[in-house]
Structures are given as structure tokens and as C-alpha cells.
Coordinates of all heavy atoms in Angstrom, one line a residue:
M1 N 0.8 -1.2 0.0 CA 0.0 0.0 0.0 C 0.9 1.2 0.0 O 2.0 1.2 0.5 CB -0.9 0.0 1.3 CG -1.8 -1.1 1.4 SD -3.3 -1.0 0.5 CE -4.2 0.2 1.4
C2 N 0.4 2.3 -0.5 CA 1.1 3.6 -0.4 C 0.2 4.7 0.1 O -1.0 4.5 0.3 CB 1.6 4.0 -1.8 SG 0.4 4.7 -2.9
E3 N 0.7 5.8 0.4 CA -0.1 6.9 1.1 C -1.2 7.3 0.3 O -2.2 7.8 0.8 CB 0.8 8.1 1.5 CG 1.5 8.6 0.2 CD 2.4 9.8 0.5 OE1 1.9 10.8 1.2 OE2 3.6 9.8 0.1
H4 N -1.1 7.2 -1.1 CA -2.2 7.7 -1.9 C -3.4 6.8 -1.9 O -4.5 7.1 -2.4 CB -1.7 7.8 -3.3 CG -0.5 8.7 -3.4 ND1 0.8 8.2 -3.5 CD2 -0.4 10.1 -3.3 CE1 1.7 9.3 -3.5 NE2 1.0 10.4 -3.4
E5 N -3.3 5.6 -1.3 CA -4.4 4.7 -1.2 C -5.2 4.9 0.1 O -6.3 4.4 0.2 CB -3.9 3.2 -1.3 CG -3.4 2.8 -2.6 CD -2.9 1.4 -2.7 OE1 -1.9 1.1 -2.0 OE2 -3.5 0.6 -3.3
V6 N -4.6 5.6 1.0 CA -5.3 5.9 2.3 C -6.5 6.7 2.0 O -6.4 7.8 1.4 CB -4.3 6.6 3.3 CG1 -5.0 6.9 4.6 CG2 -3.1 5.7 3.5
G7 N -7.6 6.3 2.5 CA -8.9 7.0 2.4 C -9.6 6.8 1.1 O -10.7 7.4 0.9
L8 N -9.1 6.1 0.2 CA -9.8 5.8 -1.1 C -11.0 5.0 -0.8 O -11.0 4.0 0.0 CB -8.9 5.0 -2.1 CG -7.8 5.8 -2.8 CD1 -7.2 4.8 -3.8 CD2 -8.4 7.0 -3.6
E9 N -12.1 5.3 -1.4 CA -13.3 4.5 -1.3 C -13.7 4.0 -2.7 O -14.5 4.7 -3.4 CB -14.5 5.2 -0.7 CG -14.2 5.5 0.8 CD -15.3 6.4 1.4 OE1 -16.4 6.4 0.9 OE2 -14.9 7.1 2.4
P10 N -13.1 3.0 -3.2 CA -13.2 2.6 -4.6 C -14.6 2.3 -5.0 O -15.3 1.5 -4.3 CB -12.3 1.3 -4.8 CG -11.4 1.3 -3.6 CD -12.2 2.0 -2.5
P11 N -15.2 2.9 -6.0 CA -16.5 2.6 -6.5 C -16.4 1.5 -7.6 O -15.3 1.2 -8.1 CB -16.9 4.0 -7.2 CG -15.7 4.6 -7.6 CD -14.6 4.1 -6.8
P12 N -17.6 1.0 -8.0 CA -17.5 -0.1 -9.0 C -17.2 0.5 -10.4 O -17.3 1.8 -10.6 CB -19.0 -0.6 -9.1 CG -19.8 0.3 -8.2 CD -18.9 1.2 -7.4
P13 N -16.7 -0.3 -11.3 CA -16.3 0.2 -12.7 C -17.5 0.9 -13.4 O -18.6 0.4 -13.3 CB -15.8 -1.0 -13.4 CG -16.1 -2.2 -12.5 CD -16.4 -1.7 -11.2
R14 N -17.3 2.0 -14.1 CA -18.4 2.7 -14.7 C -18.7 2.1 -16.1 O -19.8 2.2 -16.5 CB -17.9 4.2 -15.0 CG -17.5 4.9 -13.7 CD -17.7 6.4 -13.9 NE -16.8 7.0 -14.9 CZ -16.0 8.1 -14.7 NH1 -16.1 8.7 -13.5 NH2 -15.3 8.5 -15.7
T15 N -17.7 1.4 -16.7 CA -18.0 0.8 -18.0 C -17.3 -0.6 -18.0 O -16.3 -0.8 -17.3 CB -17.4 1.7 -19.1 OG1 -16.0 2.0 -18.8 CG2 -18.2 3.0 -19.3
P16 N -17.7 -1.5 -18.9 CA -17.1 -2.8 -19.0 C -15.7 -2.7 -19.7 O -14.9 -3.7 -19.6 CB -18.1 -3.6 -19.8 CG -18.9 -2.7 -20.5 CD -18.9 -1.4 -19.7
G17 N -15.5 -1.7 -20.5 CA -14.2 -1.5 -21.2 C -13.7 -0.1 -21.1 O -14.3 0.7 -20.3
C18 N -12.7 0.2 -21.8 CA -12.1 1.6 -21.8 C -13.2 2.6 -22.2 O -13.8 2.5 -23.3 CB -10.9 1.8 -22.7 SG -10.3 3.5 -22.7
E19 N -13.5 3.5 -21.2 CA -14.6 4.5 -21.5 C -14.4 5.3 -22.7 O -15.4 5.4 -23.5 CB -14.7 5.4 -20.2 CG -16.0 6.2 -20.1 CD -16.1 6.8 -18.7 OE1 -15.8 6.2 -17.7 OE2 -16.5 8.0 -18.7
E20 N -13.2 5.8 -23.0 CA -13.0 6.6 -24.2 C -13.0 5.8 -25.4 O -13.5 6.2 -26.5 CB -11.7 7.4 -24.0 CG -11.7 8.6 -23.1 CD -11.5 8.2 -21.6 OE1 -11.4 7.0 -21.3 OE2 -11.5 9.1 -20.7
C21 N -12.3 4.6 -25.4 CA -12.3 3.7 -26.5 C -13.6 3.3 -27.0 O -13.9 3.1 -28.1 CB -11.3 2.6 -26.3 SG -9.6 3.0 -26.3
L22 N -14.5 3.0 -26.0 CA -15.9 2.5 -26.3 C -16.6 3.6 -27.1 O -17.3 3.4 -28.0 CB -16.6 2.2 -25.0 CG -16.2 0.8 -24.4 CD1 -17.0 0.6 -23.1 CD2 -16.6 -0.3 -25.3
R23 N -16.3 4.9 -26.6 CA -17.0 6.0 -27.3 C -16.4 6.3 -28.6 O -17.2 6.6 -29.6 CB -16.8 7.3 -26.4 CG -17.8 8.3 -26.6 CD -17.9 9.3 -25.4 NE -16.5 9.9 -25.1 CZ -16.1 10.1 -23.9 NH1 -16.8 9.8 -22.8 NH2 -14.9 10.6 -23.7
L24 N -15.1 6.1 -28.8 CA -14.4 6.4 -30.1 C -14.4 5.3 -31.0 O -14.1 5.4 -32.2 CB -13.0 6.8 -29.8 CG -12.8 8.1 -28.9 CD1 -11.3 8.2 -28.4 CD2 -13.1 9.3 -29.7
G25 N -14.7 4.1 -30.5 CA -14.6 2.9 -31.4 C -13.2 2.4 -31.6 O -13.0 1.8 -32.7
T26 N -12.3 2.7 -30.7 CA -10.9 2.3 -30.9 C -10.6 1.1 -30.1 O -11.2 0.9 -29.0 CB -10.0 3.5 -30.6 OG1 -10.3 4.0 -29.3 CG2 -10.1 4.7 -31.6
P27 N -9.5 0.4 -30.5 CA -9.2 -0.9 -29.7 C -8.3 -0.6 -28.5 O -7.6 0.5 -28.5 CB -8.5 -1.7 -30.7 CG -7.8 -0.7 -31.6 CD -8.7 0.5 -31.6
W28 N -8.2 -1.5 -27.6 CA -7.3 -1.4 -26.5 C -6.6 -2.7 -26.3 O -7.0 -3.7 -26.8 CB -8.0 -0.9 -25.2 CG -9.1 -1.9 -24.7 CD1 -8.8 -3.1 -24.1 CD2 -10.5 -1.8 -24.8 NE1 -10.0 -3.7 -23.8 CE2 -11.0 -3.0 -24.3 CE3 -11.3 -0.8 -25.4 CZ2 -12.4 -3.2 -24.2 CZ3 -12.7 -1.1 -25.3 CH2 -13.2 -2.2 -24.7
V29 N -5.5 -2.7 -25.5 CA -4.8 -3.9 -25.2 C -5.1 -4.4 -23.8 O -5.6 -5.5 -23.7 CB -3.2 -3.6 -25.3 CG1 -2.5 -4.9 -25.0 CG2 -2.9 -3.1 -26.7
H30 N -4.8 -3.6 -22.8 CA -5.2 -4.0 -21.4 C -6.0 -2.9 -20.7 O -5.8 -1.7 -21.1 CB -3.9 -4.3 -20.6 CG -3.2 -5.5 -21.1 ND1 -1.9 -5.5 -21.5 CD2 -3.6 -6.8 -21.3 CE1 -1.5 -6.6 -21.9 NE2 -2.5 -7.5 -21.8
L31 N -6.7 -3.2 -19.7 CA -7.5 -2.2 -19.0 C -7.0 -2.0 -17.6 O -6.5 -2.8 -16.9 CB -9.0 -2.7 -18.9 CG -9.6 -2.9 -20.3 CD1 -11.0 -3.6 -20.1 CD2 -9.8 -1.6 -21.0
R32 N -7.3 -0.7 -17.1 CA -6.9 -0.3 -15.8 C -8.2 0.3 -15.2 O -8.9 1.1 -15.9 CB -5.8 0.7 -15.8 CG -4.6 0.3 -16.6 CD -3.7 -0.7 -15.8 NE -2.6 -1.1 -16.5 CZ -2.4 -2.3 -17.1 NH1 -3.4 -3.2 -17.0 NH2 -1.3 -2.6 -17.8
L33 N -8.4 0.1 -13.9 CA -9.5 0.7 -13.2 C -9.1 1.7 -12.2 O -8.3 1.5 -11.3 CB -10.3 -0.5 -12.4 CG -11.4 0.0 -11.5 CD1 -12.6 0.6 -12.2 CD2 -11.9 -1.2 -10.6
C34 N -9.6 3.0 -12.3 CA -9.2 4.1 -11.4 C -9.9 3.8 -10.1 O -11.1 3.6 -10.0 CB -9.7 5.4 -12.0 SG -9.5 6.8 -10.8
L35 N -9.1 3.8 -9.0 CA -9.7 3.5 -7.7 C -10.3 4.7 -7.0 O -10.8 4.6 -5.9 CB -8.6 2.8 -6.8 CG -8.1 1.5 -7.3 CD1 -7.1 0.9 -6.3 CD2 -9.2 0.5 -7.7
S36 N -10.2 5.8 -7.7 CA -10.9 7.0 -7.1 C -12.3 7.2 -7.6 O -13.2 7.6 -6.9 CB -10.1 8.3 -7.4 OG -8.8 8.2 -6.9
C37 N -12.5 6.9 -8.9 CA -13.8 7.2 -9.5 C -14.5 6.1 -10.3 O -15.6 6.2 -10.8 CB -13.7 8.5 -10.4 SG -12.8 8.2 -11.9
G38 N -13.8 5.0 -10.5 CA -14.4 3.9 -11.2 C -14.2 4.0 -12.7 O -14.7 3.2 -13.5
H39 N -13.4 5.0 -13.2 CA -13.1 5.1 -14.6 C -12.3 3.9 -15.1 O -11.3 3.5 -14.4 CB -12.3 6.4 -14.9 CG -11.7 6.5 -16.3 ND1 -10.5 6.1 -16.6 CD2 -12.3 7.0 -17.4 CE1 -10.3 6.3 -17.9 NE2 -11.3 6.9 -18.4
V40 N -12.7 3.3 -16.2 CA -11.9 2.2 -16.8 C -11.2 2.8 -18.0 O -11.8 3.4 -18.9 CB -12.8 1.0 -17.3 CG1 -12.0 0.0 -18.0 CG2 -13.6 0.5 -16.0
G41 N -9.9 2.7 -18.1 CA -9.1 3.2 -19.1 C -8.1 2.2 -19.7 O -7.9 1.1 -19.0
C42 N -7.5 2.4 -20.8 CA -6.6 1.5 -21.4 C -5.2 1.8 -21.0 O -4.8 2.9 -20.7 CB -6.8 1.4 -22.9 SG -6.7 3.0 -23.8
C43 N -4.3 0.7 -21.1 CA -3.0 0.8 -20.6 C -2.1 1.6 -21.6 O -2.5 2.0 -22.7 CB -2.4 -0.6 -20.4 SG -2.1 -1.5 -22.0
D44 N -0.8 1.7 -21.3 CA 0.2 2.5 -22.1 C 0.6 1.7 -23.3 O 1.2 2.3 -24.2 CB 1.4 2.8 -21.3 CG 1.1 4.0 -20.3 OD1 0.0 4.6 -20.4 OD2 1.9 4.2 -19.4
S45 N 0.3 0.4 -23.4 CA 0.5 -0.3 -24.7 C -0.6 -0.2 -25.7 O -0.5 -0.6 -26.8 CB 0.7 -1.8 -24.4 OG 1.7 -2.0 -23.4
S46 N -1.7 0.5 -25.2 CA -2.8 0.7 -26.1 C -2.6 2.1 -26.8 O -2.0 3.0 -26.2 CB -4.1 0.8 -25.3 OG -4.2 -0.4 -24.5
P47 N -3.2 2.2 -28.0 CA -3.0 3.5 -28.7 C -3.5 4.7 -28.0 O -2.9 5.8 -28.0 CB -3.9 3.3 -30.0 CG -4.0 1.8 -30.2 CD -3.9 1.2 -28.8
G48 N -4.6 4.6 -27.2 CA -5.2 5.7 -26.6 C -4.5 6.1 -25.2 O -4.6 7.2 -24.8
R49 N -3.9 5.1 -24.6 CA -3.3 5.4 -23.2 C -4.3 6.1 -22.3 O -3.8 7.1 -21.6 CB -2.0 6.1 -23.4 CG -1.0 5.3 -24.2 CD 0.3 6.1 -24.4 NE 1.2 5.2 -25.2 CZ 2.5 5.5 -25.4 NH1 3.0 6.6 -24.9 NH2 3.2 4.8 -26.1
H50 N -5.5 5.7 -22.3 CA -6.5 6.6 -21.6 C -6.4 6.5 -20.1 O -6.9 7.4 -19.4 CB -7.9 6.2 -22.1 CG -8.2 6.6 -23.5 ND1 -8.5 5.7 -24.5 CD2 -8.1 7.8 -24.1 CE1 -8.6 6.4 -25.7 NE2 -8.4 7.7 -25.4
A51 N -5.8 5.4 -19.5 CA -5.7 5.4 -18.1 C -4.7 6.4 -17.6 O -4.9 7.1 -16.6 CB -5.2 4.0 -17.6
T52 N -3.5 6.5 -18.3 CA -2.5 7.5 -17.9 C -3.1 8.9 -18.2 O -2.9 9.8 -17.4 CB -1.2 7.3 -18.8 OG1 -0.7 6.0 -18.4 CG2 -0.2 8.4 -18.4
R53 N -3.8 9.1 -19.3 CA -4.4 10.4 -19.6 C -5.4 10.8 -18.5 O -5.5 12.0 -18.1 CB -5.1 10.4 -20.9 CG -4.2 10.4 -22.1 CD -4.9 11.0 -23.3 NE -4.5 10.3 -24.5 CZ -4.9 10.7 -25.7 NH1 -5.7 11.7 -25.8 NH2 -4.6 10.0 -26.7
H54 N -6.1 9.8 -18.0 CA -7.1 10.1 -16.9 C -6.4 10.6 -15.7 O -6.8 11.6 -15.1 CB -7.9 8.8 -16.6 CG -8.9 8.9 -15.5 ND1 -10.1 9.6 -15.7 CD2 -8.8 8.5 -14.2 CE1 -10.7 9.5 -14.6 NE2 -10.0 8.9 -13.6
F55 N -5.2 10.0 -15.4 CA -4.4 10.5 -14.2 C -4.0 11.9 -14.5 O -4.2 12.8 -13.6 CB -3.2 9.6 -14.0 CG -2.2 10.3 -13.1 CD1 -2.4 10.6 -11.8 CD2 -0.9 10.7 -13.7 CE1 -1.5 11.2 -11.0 CE2 0.0 11.3 -12.9 CZ -0.3 11.6 -11.6
H56 N -3.5 12.3 -15.6 CA -3.1 13.6 -15.9 C -4.2 14.7 -15.8 O -4.1 15.8 -15.4 CB -2.3 13.7 -17.2 CG -1.0 13.0 -17.1 ND1 0.0 13.4 -16.3 CD2 -0.5 12.0 -17.8 CE1 1.1 12.7 -16.4 NE2 0.8 11.8 -17.3
H57 N -5.4 14.2 -16.3 CA -6.6 15.1 -16.3 C -7.2 15.3 -14.9 O -7.5 16.4 -14.5 CB -7.7 14.6 -17.2 CG -7.3 14.9 -18.7 ND1 -7.8 14.0 -19.7 CD2 -6.5 15.8 -19.3 CE1 -7.3 14.5 -20.8 NE2 -6.5 15.5 -20.6
M58 N -7.3 14.2 -14.2 CA -8.1 14.1 -12.9 C -7.2 14.1 -11.7 O -7.7 14.3 -10.6 CB -9.0 12.9 -12.9 CG -9.9 12.8 -14.2 SD -11.0 14.2 -14.4 CE -12.1 13.9 -13.0
N59 N -5.9 13.8 -11.8 CA -5.1 13.6 -10.7 C -5.5 12.5 -9.7 O -5.3 12.6 -8.5 CB -5.0 14.9 -9.9 CG -3.6 15.6 -10.1 OD1 -2.6 14.9 -10.0 ND2 -3.6 16.8 -10.5
H60 N -6.2 11.5 -10.3 CA -6.5 10.3 -9.5 C -5.3 9.4 -9.5 O -4.9 8.9 -10.5 CB -7.7 9.6 -10.1 CG -9.0 10.4 -9.9 ND1 -10.1 10.2 -10.7 CD2 -9.3 11.5 -9.1 CE1 -11.1 11.1 -10.3 NE2 -10.6 11.9 -9.4
P61 N -4.7 9.1 -8.3 CA -3.3 8.6 -8.2 C -3.2 7.1 -8.5 O -2.1 6.7 -9.0 CB -2.9 8.9 -6.8 CG -4.1 9.0 -6.0 CD -5.2 9.5 -6.9
V62 N -4.2 6.3 -8.2 CA -4.0 4.8 -8.2 C -5.0 4.1 -9.1 O -6.2 4.4 -9.1 CB -4.1 4.2 -6.8 CG1 -3.7 2.7 -6.9 CG2 -3.1 4.9 -5.9
A63 N -4.5 3.3 -10.0 CA -5.3 2.5 -10.9 C -4.9 1.0 -10.7 O -3.8 0.7 -10.7 CB -5.2 2.9 -12.3
A64 N -6.0 0.2 -10.6 CA -5.7 -1.3 -10.5 C -5.8 -1.9 -11.9 O -6.5 -1.4 -12.8 CB -6.7 -1.9 -9.6
S65 N -5.1 -3.0 -12.1 CA -5.3 -3.8 -13.3 C -6.7 -4.3 -13.3 O -7.2 -4.8 -12.3 CB -4.3 -5.0 -13.3 OG -4.6 -5.8 -14.4
F66 N -7.3 -4.2 -14.5 CA -8.7 -4.7 -14.7 C -8.7 -5.9 -15.7 O -9.6 -6.1 -16.5 CB -9.6 -3.5 -15.3 CG -11.0 -3.7 -15.1 CD1 -11.6 -4.1 -13.9 CD2 -11.9 -3.5 -16.1 CE1 -12.9 -4.3 -13.7 CE2 -13.3 -3.7 -16.0 CZ -13.8 -4.1 -14.8
E67 N -7.6 -6.6 -15.6 CA -7.5 -7.8 -16.4 C -7.9 -9.0 -15.6 O -7.6 -9.1 -14.3 CB -6.0 -8.0 -16.9 CG -5.6 -7.0 -17.9 CD -6.5 -7.0 -19.1 OE1 -6.6 -8.1 -19.7 OE2 -7.0 -5.9 -19.5
P68 N -8.5 -10.0 -16.2 CA -8.9 -11.2 -15.4 C -7.8 -11.9 -14.6 O -6.8 -12.1 -15.1 CB -9.4 -12.2 -16.5 CG -9.8 -11.3 -17.7 CD -8.8 -10.1 -17.6
G69 N -8.1 -12.1 -13.3 CA -7.1 -12.8 -12.4 C -6.0 -11.9 -11.9 O -5.3 -12.3 -11.0
E70 N -5.8 -10.7 -12.5 CA -4.7 -9.9 -12.0 C -5.1 -9.1 -10.8 O -6.1 -8.5 -10.7 CB -4.2 -8.9 -13.1 CG -3.6 -9.7 -14.3 CD -2.8 -8.8 -15.3 OE1 -2.7 -7.6 -15.0 OE2 -2.3 -9.3 -16.3
R71 N -4.1 -9.0 -9.8 CA -4.4 -8.3 -8.5 C -3.2 -7.5 -8.2 O -2.4 -7.8 -7.3 CB -4.7 -9.4 -7.4 CG -5.9 -10.2 -7.6 CD -7.2 -9.3 -7.5 NE -8.4 -10.1 -7.7 CZ -9.0 -10.3 -8.9 NH1 -8.5 -9.7 -10.0 NH2 -10.2 -10.9 -9.0
W72 N -3.1 -6.4 -8.9 CA -2.0 -5.4 -8.6 C -2.5 -4.0 -9.0 O -3.5 -3.9 -9.8 CB -0.7 -5.7 -9.3 CG -0.8 -5.9 -10.8 CD1 -1.1 -7.0 -11.5 CD2 -0.6 -4.8 -11.7 NE1 -1.1 -6.7 -12.8 CE2 -0.8 -5.4 -13.0 CE3 -0.4 -3.4 -11.7 CZ2 -0.7 -4.6 -14.2 CZ3 -0.3 -2.7 -12.8 CH2 -0.5 -3.3 -14.1
A73 N -1.9 -3.0 -8.5 CA -2.3 -1.6 -8.8 C -1.0 -0.8 -9.0 O 0.1 -1.2 -8.7 CB -3.1 -1.0 -7.7
W74 N -1.2 0.3 -9.7 CA -0.1 1.2 -10.0 C -0.4 2.6 -9.5 O -1.5 3.1 -9.6 CB 0.0 1.3 -11.5 CG 1.1 2.2 -12.0 CD1 1.0 3.4 -12.5 CD2 2.6 1.9 -12.0 NE1 2.3 3.9 -12.8 CE2 3.2 3.0 -12.5 CE3 3.3 0.7 -11.7 CZ2 4.6 3.0 -12.7 CZ3 4.7 0.8 -11.8 CH2 5.3 1.9 -12.3
C75 N 0.6 3.1 -8.7 CA 0.5 4.5 -8.2 C 1.2 5.4 -9.2 O 2.4 5.3 -9.4 CB 1.0 4.6 -6.8 SG 1.0 6.4 -6.3
Y76 N 0.5 6.3 -9.9 CA 1.1 7.2 -10.9 C 2.0 8.2 -10.2 O 3.0 8.7 -10.8 CB 0.0 7.9 -11.7 CG -0.7 7.0 -12.7 CD1 -1.9 6.5 -12.4 CD2 -0.1 6.7 -13.9 CE1 -2.6 5.6 -13.3 CE2 -0.7 5.9 -14.8 CZ -2.0 5.3 -14.5 OH -2.6 4.5 -15.3
V77 N 1.7 8.6 -9.0 CA 2.5 9.6 -8.3 C 3.9 9.0 -7.9 O 4.9 9.6 -8.1 CB 1.8 10.1 -7.0 CG1 2.6 11.1 -6.3 CG2 0.4 10.7 -7.4
D78 N 3.8 7.8 -7.3 CA 5.1 7.1 -6.9 C 5.7 6.4 -8.0 O 6.9 6.0 -7.9 CB 4.8 6.1 -5.7 CG 4.2 6.8 -4.5 OD1 4.7 7.9 -4.2 OD2 3.3 6.2 -3.8
Q79 N 5.0 6.2 -9.1 CA 5.5 5.4 -10.2 C 6.0 4.0 -9.7 O 7.1 3.6 -10.0 CB 6.7 6.1 -10.9 CG 6.3 7.3 -11.7 CD 5.6 7.0 -13.0 OE1 6.2 6.3 -13.9 NE2 4.3 7.3 -13.1
A80 N 5.1 3.4 -9.0 CA 5.4 2.1 -8.3 C 4.2 1.2 -8.3 O 3.0 1.7 -8.2 CB 5.9 2.3 -6.9
M81 N 4.4 -0.1 -8.3 CA 3.4 -1.1 -8.1 C 3.0 -1.1 -6.6 O 3.8 -1.1 -5.8 CB 3.9 -2.4 -8.5 CG 3.2 -3.1 -9.6 SD 3.9 -4.7 -9.9 CE 3.2 -5.0 -11.5
V82 N 1.7 -1.1 -6.4 CA 1.2 -1.2 -5.0 C 0.1 -2.3 -4.9 O -0.4 -2.8 -5.9 CB 0.6 0.2 -4.6 CG1 1.7 1.3 -4.5 CG2 -0.5 0.7 -5.5
D83 N -0.2 -2.6 -3.7 CA -1.3 -3.6 -3.5 C -2.7 -3.0 -3.8 O -2.9 -1.8 -3.6 CB -1.2 -4.1 -2.0 CG 0.0 -5.0 -1.7 OD1 0.5 -5.5 -2.7 OD2 0.4 -5.0 -0.5
V84 N -3.6 -3.9 -4.2 CA -4.9 -3.5 -4.4 C -5.6 -3.4 -3.0 O -5.5 -4.4 -2.2 CB -5.7 -4.5 -5.2 CG1 -7.2 -4.2 -5.4 CG2 -5.0 -4.6 -6.6
P85 N -6.2 -2.3 -2.7 CA -7.0 -2.2 -1.4 C -8.1 -3.3 -1.4 O -8.7 -3.5 -2.4 CB -7.6 -0.8 -1.4 CG -6.9 0.0 -2.5 CD -6.4 -1.1 -3.4
P86 N -8.3 -3.9 -0.2 CA -9.3 -5.0 -0.1 C -10.7 -4.5 -0.6 O -11.4 -5.3 -1.2 CB -9.3 -5.3 1.4 CG -8.2 -4.7 2.0 CD -7.6 -3.7 1.1
E87 N -11.0 -3.2 -0.4 CA -12.3 -2.7 -0.8 C -12.5 -2.8 -2.3 O -13.7 -2.8 -2.8 CB -12.5 -1.3 -0.3 CG -12.4 -1.0 1.1 CD -11.0 -0.9 1.6 OE1 -10.0 -0.8 0.8 OE2 -10.8 -1.0 2.9
A88 N -11.4 -2.8 -3.1 CA -11.5 -2.8 -4.5 C -11.6 -4.1 -5.1 O -12.1 -4.3 -6.3 CB -10.4 -2.0 -5.1
T89 N -11.1 -5.2 -4.4 CA -11.0 -6.5 -5.1 C -12.3 -7.0 -5.6 O -12.3 -7.7 -6.6 CB -10.3 -7.5 -4.1 OG1 -10.9 -7.5 -2.8 CG2 -8.9 -7.2 -4.0
P90 N -13.5 -6.8 -4.9 CA -14.7 -7.3 -5.5 C -15.1 -6.8 -6.9 O -15.8 -7.4 -7.6 CB -15.8 -6.9 -4.5 CG -15.1 -6.5 -3.2 CD -13.7 -6.1 -3.7
Y91 N -14.5 -5.6 -7.3 CA -14.8 -5.0 -8.6 C -13.9 -5.5 -9.7 O -14.1 -5.2 -10.8 CB -14.7 -3.5 -8.5 CG -15.7 -2.9 -7.4 CD1 -15.2 -2.0 -6.5 CD2 -17.0 -3.4 -7.3 CE1 -16.1 -1.5 -5.5 CE2 -17.8 -2.9 -6.4 CZ -17.4 -1.9 -5.5 OH -18.2 -1.4 -4.5
L92 N -12.8 -6.2 -9.3 CA -11.8 -6.7 -10.3 C -12.4 -7.9 -11.0 O -13.3 -8.6 -10.5 CB -10.5 -6.9 -9.7 CG -9.9 -5.7 -9.0 CD1 -8.5 -6.0 -8.5 CD2 -9.8 -4.5 -9.9
R93 N -11.8 -8.3 -12.1 CA -12.3 -9.4 -12.9 C -11.5 -10.7 -12.6 O -10.5 -10.7 -12.0 CB -12.2 -9.1 -14.4 CG -13.0 -7.9 -14.8 CD -12.5 -7.3 -16.0 NE -12.8 -8.1 -17.2 CZ -12.1 -8.1 -18.4 NH1 -11.2 -7.2 -18.5 NH2 -12.5 -8.8 -19.3
Ligands
ZN1 ZN1 1.3 6.4 -4.0
ZN2 ZN1 -8.7 3.7 -24.3
ZN3 ZN1 -10.5 8.5 -11.7

């Protein structure tokens, strides 16, 4: 865990896939779930990089992997892998 996860109350995912890609009709590679607002965005290997862009727009610090079976999160502020808060695990795939 990192300090940016303290006090987070992760909401359920807002969309089943990358929110922006679904709207634009563009493909993604992997998905990330924002633990501040439930935004689902695509990873940096995807053309849109919408998860990272979401961090830059919203300053929401931590996103969890939204890939089946994966249980890890990334803190954009610390640029480090962190644990998924227990409150968020029911929303992961
Ligand atoms: Zn952090
Ligand atoms: Zn995307
Ligand atoms: Zn967010």
C-alpha cells in the first residue's frame, strides 16, 4: 500500500471496457480501473493510453489492473506497483 491509497473508497467500474475507446470505437490492449472514481481506461501499450491520460486530467493517483485474475495496482505519483486495497477487489475481474 502507499499513502495515496489511504482514504480511497473505490467505486464499481463505470464501463465494461475503456470508457474513451468505447465512445471512439478504438481498440485497447489491457484495462486499468481508477480506484478514485471507477473510470476504466486502457494501458500504455494501447493506442489511446486513456488510463494515464485520466491520471493527468483528474489527478486520481492509483489504478488497478482490470485484467482477469490480475491483482495489482499502479500508483502514478510514486511510479510504483502497489497492493490493491481490499475494498476494490470485489470489482476486479
Ligand atoms: Zn502512491
Ligand atoms: Zn482507451
Ligand atoms: Zn478517476
Side-chain angles (χ1 to χ4, degrees):
M1 301 278 287
C2 75
E3 57 179 308
H4 305 100
E5 291 181 291
V6 176
L8 282 185
E9 292 175 27
R14 303 202 296 226
T15 50
C18 174
E19 196 166 317
E20 286 83 357
C21 286
L22 285 173
R23 203 162 53 218
L24 299 165
T26 51
W28 63 75
V29 180
H30 295 122
L31 296 173
R32 307 284 180 252
L33 172 66
C34 174
L35 298 186
S36 299
C37 72
H39 172 268
V40 177
C42 53
C43 71
D44 287 348
S45 304
S46 309
R49 300 181 178 185
H50 291 119
T52 297
R53 284 205 220 187
H54 179 76
F55 162 67
H56 288 299
H57 286 152
M58 307 299 291
N59 255 310
H60 292 162
V62 184
S65 173
F66 199 50
E67 291 301 308
E70 292 193 3
R71 295 292 180 268
W72 56 270
W74 179 258
C75 177
Y76 287 100
V77 179
D78 297 322
Q79 290 286 299
M81 242 183 196
V82 292
D83 289 337
V84 176
E87 301 80 14
T89 48
Y91 302 133
L92 301 184
R93 298 158 72 201

